[in-house]
Amino acid sequence: MAGRRIALGNNKGGVGKSGAVVNLAASLAEAGRRVLVVDMDPQANASRRLGRPYRPENPTVTVSEVIRSGETGAASDAIVPCGWDGIYTLRIDVIPSRFDLENRISEAAATGAKRRLTRALEGVDDRYDVTLIDCPPSLGHLTQLALSAADWGLALVEPEYDGVEGATRFRDFMADPETLADVGNDHLRFLAAVPSKVDARLGGHTHHLSTLPAIFGPDLVWEPLPQRSVIKDAADEALPLSALGSRASEARAAYDATALRLWKEITA
Ligand SMILES: Nc1ncnc2c1ncn2[C@@H]1O[C@H](COP(=O)(O)OP(=O)(O)OP(=O)(O)O)[C@@H](O)[C@H]1O
Ligand SMILES: [Mg+2]
């Protein structure tokens, strides 16, 4: 697979990174794409929301064991279909996370440690149309593993002061030649700044949205993803938005449009 791994990040927490990963995976699957979601956050929110929570009484291989191994192709041992029904089961696979992933951070100084996810995914995600990597709210080792493996970085931008700052730090970090040399990736590109959890009634949101083209470049700021309670409800219930009926229509349309643009850009 050439050029279809996307790391979704922001240095700030709670801006809708995992929500975007999960709902974009759904939109892509509904459009007929095969999607692999790699959960690089020890919080494992994307795993749970995709119906793949870690159960200690029934332990499975997670991204933590995959990274610890770092063997070429090791990621295939951890791949499971998502826990949702129907086409989602067929088209969305997950490499789930668990809290133990925190323990990989202390191994960051080992030789070649930053390339472990890259090696583990080698030859593994060729059969998917898109690989979405959910980053933790940090620019530390776990995000660096993701940036080493990714072709693209996408920032979710909550249009508030700290959300814009965190997204800017993510963009600057991934564009820094020192970072690229450090993670051993010479083809990583910034794909987009996607406004996230946007409430158009808030003056502060409207103001911060207006600043984004100057910060990220007008062509790299995509249409906003709205703040809607149905998105939170679907996340809490670990269901696809489609399971929540007509009240999810507007939210689904927003993720569909973003998924379509994403697909067009990475296949252009
Ligand atoms: N567009 C949205 N509208 C309403 N609620 C949302 C939206 N996107 C995400 N949420 C909710 O906001 C909270 C934070 O979102 P989410 O977990 O996706 O953010 P995150 O950036 O991945 O957080 P973290 O940095 O902790 O990983 C969650 O409760 C989630 O369900
Ligand atoms: Mg998250």
Side-chain angles (χ1 to χ4, degrees):
M1 181 169 64
R4 297 192 191 168
R5 282 187 200 147
I6 305 159
L8 289 87
N10 185 319
N11 195 189
K12 182 178 184 301
V15 300
K17 296 180 291 294
S18 303
V21 165
V22 166
N23 293 310
L24 290 175
S27 292
L28 287 162
E30 288 162 16
R33 313 290 170 213
R34 295 261 304 139
V35 186
L36 177 65
V37 171
V38 183
D39 192 346
M40 283 303 292
D41 189 341
Q43 296 181 94
N45 299 142
S47 305
R48 184 194 62 77
R49 294 179 198 174
L50 284 161
R52 284 294 180 177
Y54 186 73
R55 299 196 195 284
E57 69 280 10
N58 183 22
T60 50
V61 180
T62 68
V63 75
S64 179
E65 290 74 33
V66 167
I67 302 295
R68 191 174 57 204
S69 145
E71 299 287 332
T72 303
S76 61
D77 298 343
I79 293 180
V80 286
C82 77
W84 297 347
D85 293 343
I87 55 136
Y88 304 114
T89 312
L90 300 173
R91 299 193 190 139
I92 303 176
D93 282 350
V94 188
I95 297 182
S97 180
R98 65 179 174 117
F99 188 66
D100 188 67
L101 182 59
E102 287 281 2
N103 292 318
R104 304 286 75 78
I105 296 171
S106 62
E107 298 159 6
T111 309
K114 293 204 166 76
R115 299 284 294 164
R116 284 184 182 182
L117 179 64
T118 313
R119 282 199 302 276
L121 284 173
E122 212 176 298
V124 172
D125 58 351
D126 299 356
R127 62 197 171 91
Y128 298 92
D129 295 310
V130 183
T131 299
L132 300 176
I133 310 175
D134 192 18
C135 294
S138 137
L139 301 177
H141 182 56
L142 299 175
T143 291
Q144 291 170 30
L145 285 163
L147 293 177
S148 172
D151 303 293
W152 302 95
L154 183 154
L156 280 306
V157 194
E158 196 177 14
E160 296 177 356
Y161 193 92
D162 297 337
V164 176
E165 283 275 297
T168 308
R169 280 199 299 278
F170 175 75
R171 189 274 314 269
D172 291 349
F173 182 71
M174 61 158 282
D176 186 339
E178 249 182 63
T179 304
L180 297 177
D182 199 32
V183 303
N185 187 346
D186 57 12
H187 62 271
L188 181 66
R189 280 174 289 169
F190 186 70
L191 181 62
V194 180
S196 172
K197 298 176 77 170
V198 175
D199 185 342
R201 296 166 305 180
L202 297 178
H205 277 202
T206 314
H207 162 70
H208 284 292
L209 279 179
S210 73
T211 68
L212 300 183
I215 298 170
F216 294 99
D219 297 341
L220 296 181
V221 181
W222 292 5
E223 286 300 303
L225 297 167
Q227 165 118 30
R228 293 290 177 271
S229 59
V230 70
I231 296 173
K232 193 173 177 50
D233 293 346
D236 287 352
E237 293 174 42
L239 289 170
L241 280 167
S242 62
L244 278 79
S246 59
R247 77 183 187 98
S249 305
E250 189 205 349
R252 288 177 71 191
Y255 286 109
D256 286 350
T258 304
L260 186 64
R261 174 128 191 219
L262 179 151
W263 179 253
K264 281 190 180 150
E265 301 276 351
I266 67 173
T267 55

